[in-house]
Amino acid sequence: MKNDELVTNALYQELFVENVAIYSKRLSRVDDLSSSLGVFDKTRKIYSNLTDDEKETITNLIKVVIADTASVVLGTIDGTHIPNNIDGDFELFYKNEQIQGDLQDYFLELVETNNVI
């Protein structure tokens, strides 16, 4: 496996396997729902009143947001997405190998292959 694919696979695993599991677990906690005013705790309070189908919808929305955000970042690094006020090129190296150019494509291929969204 090439280094750019290795990095993309690692990011995918971190975001969609590990982080989604962490978010789901944290949202499902029902302890102390009334005492905190933080955004995550307010969301947990709303989430606790949802049906299982509605909870799955929220989890899927989280996956969409993760995919879109990662795609923008990787596309910016690759040079396929140009945010406002960014007019230069990026260079990303891993193990002394330049890896930008296909990161967004590899990432989105993983998302599509695994039916994440």
Side-chain angles (χ1 to χ4, degrees), residues 33-88:
L33 286 174
S34 61
S35 65
S36 181
L37 299 176
V39 171
F40 205 87
D41 291 315
K42 287 180 181 179
T43 305
R44 280 188 325 134
K45 190 171 186 175
I46 295 167
Y47 187 84
S48 70
N49 293 314
L50 300 177
T51 66
D52 288 343
D53 188 51
E54 291 167 331
K55 289 177 182 179
E56 183 178 350
T57 300
I58 296 298
T59 300
N60 289 335
L61 176 62
I62 290 169
K63 291 176 183 179
V64 168
V65 171
I66 290 170
D68 287 349
T69 303
S71 179
V72 166
V73 172
L74 295 173
T76 301
I77 293 168
D78 284 344
T80 58
H81 176 82
I82 310 297
N84 294 335
N85 301 317
I86 301 293
D87 60 359

